[in-house]
Amino acid sequence: MLTLPFRNLITKTAKRTLQTNLLIRAKSTKEEPNESQKLQEAALNENLFLVDDNDTVVGRASKRECHQVGKCGGIPLHRAFSVFLFTSHGDLLLQKRASEKITYPDQYTNSCCSHPVADIPGEDEEKDALGVKRAAQRRLNHELGIPTDKLPLEQFTYLTRVHYKDEGDGQWGEHEIDYVLFFRGDVPVKPNPNEISEISFVPRGDLDQHIPTLGTLTPWFYLILKNRLKLWWDNLDNLDKFKDHHNILKLGGAKKN
């Protein structure tokens, strides 16, 4: 069982639950590094959806092929998602990727980010982004230990899609059409130490002072934070007016931070 030590992250505010004022770090109870690395390597064999600039599926390729940077910086464009999980108070869960992650290790990012997998039935369903939502449900369970029955598909809000590219460390990078999903609810979390080394719950009012303490951010999180996140977060109770399922927001590449 994963043991999580706690320490205060920010000054407690009235009526906030204890959970929202904590930074949680996973102890070194994770599997031996070689086992963790084997799990990450095995995941590279999963097949993802290749898409064109309009997010039309044009084929499949392994996760390895989708993230390797080519000689001229080419990276296959593929489908992905980013979940922003908020408590009922409106605090956002952020995570630090584990050291064993092959892409963007030890970088802070949004609550959960991954891909629908072509090998898994139902994750190809296009209507209402149901396939992507199913993938998000699966990964929230895998990474954060949230029971799937606490993650009803209808509680995910599909806002829009963003298109970005980042060459990472020159060997592993990203080129994605990324579905932005919001989820709001008080759910139990038990981070998987093979995926996550740290999580924090951040109130909106503390975001600007907290972000600089996190170190390097993943490119997709950096770009969404820079361009849209604060606006969406400020309207958490009225997200419908920001839904755009027709256009794809092109964010380009991320500035290294």
Side-chain angles (χ1 to χ4, degrees):
M1 181 174 180
L2 176 62
T3 302
L4 298 174
F6 294 75
R7 71 172 176 83
N8 285 336
L9 170 62
I10 55 174
T11 304
K12 294 179 182 178
T13 54
K15 297 184 180 181
R16 288 203 179 277
T17 63
L18 179 63
Q19 182 189 47
T20 61
N21 295 288
L22 297 175
L23 179 146
I24 306 171
R25 287 198 177 102
K27 280 185 177 177
S28 57
T29 54
K30 65 176 76 174
E31 298 178 47
E32 291 301 316
N34 60 338
E35 292 300 318
S36 297
Q37 289 163 2
K38 286 178 182 177
L39 291 172
Q40 295 295 331
E41 283 286 340
L44 292 177
N45 295 321
E46 295 174 343
N47 287 307
L48 308 185
F49 295 102
L50 297 176
V51 295
D52 62 17
D53 288 343
N54 297 312
D55 192 34
T56 301
V57 175
V58 295
R60 300 179 179 187
S62 71
K63 186 180 289 185
R64 181 186 303 276
E65 294 169 313
C66 287
H67 293 88
Q68 286 182 322
V69 181
K71 291 181 179 180
C72 298
I75 307 171
L77 180 61
H78 56 280
R79 184 174 289 172
F81 64 82
S82 286
V83 178
F84 293 79
L85 190 155
F86 297 86
T87 67
S88 60
H89 290 288
D91 298 346
L92 174 63
L93 188 157
L94 300 179
Q95 64 150 289
K96 186 176 183 180
R97 294 164 68 85
S99 299
E100 291 76 22
K101 297 290 285 185
I102 291 172
T103 58
Y104 305 94
D106 297 314
Q107 295 188 20
Y108 242 99
T109 194
N110 50 287
S111 312
C112 179
C113 25
S114 190
H115 315 82
V117 174
D119 309 311
I120 298 178
E123 294 195 4
D124 61 344
E125 187 167 352
E126 303 271 355
K127 183 180 179 182
D128 299 325
L130 280 174
V132 171
K133 292 177 182 178
R134 290 189 182 107
Q137 184 186 62
R138 170 177 57 81
R139 290 300 299 184
L140 284 164
N141 173 256
H142 175 72
E143 294 187 19
L144 286 163
I146 304 171
T148 54
D149 63 356
K150 302 294 185 183
L151 298 164
L153 297 181
E154 61 272 16
Q155 205 165 322
F156 287 90
T157 298
Y158 161 38
L159 278 179
T160 190
R161 294 164 291 178
V162 300
H163 181 174
Y164 77 96
K165 181 183 177 184
D166 182 81
E167 294 181 21
D169 61 5
Q171 179 181 4
W172 302 100
E174 286 285 13
H175 188 195
E176 298 180 330
I177 289 185
D178 194 17
Y179 285 65
V180 178
L181 304 176
F182 274 30
F183 186 98
R184 191 172 185 181
D186 295 322
V187 294
V189 296
K190 182 182 177 184
N192 179 348
N194 292 313
E195 297 285 341
I196 297 171
S197 62
E198 183 176 295
I199 64 173
S200 57
F201 291 85
V202 184
R204 173 64 181 91
D206 295 316
L207 179 67
D208 288 341
Q209 69 181 46
H210 185 57
I211 287 295
T213 71
L214 299 180
T216 303
L217 308 179
T218 60
W220 58 91
F221 177 49
Y222 171 83
L223 287 166
I224 293 172
L225 171 66
K226 177 183 176 183
N227 289 279
R228 290 291 189 277
L229 179 58
K230 294 178 185 180
L231 175 64
W232 293 333
W233 198 344
D234 288 339
N235 291 273
L236 201 54
D237 294 318
N238 190 24
L239 289 173
D240 283 349
K241 64 182 180 180
F242 296 103
K243 289 181 180 178
D244 185 353
H245 299 172
H246 301 288
N247 301 300
I248 299 173
L249 183 62
K250 293 190 176 182
L251 298 181
K255 177 184 176 182
K256 296 300 179 183
N257 52 343

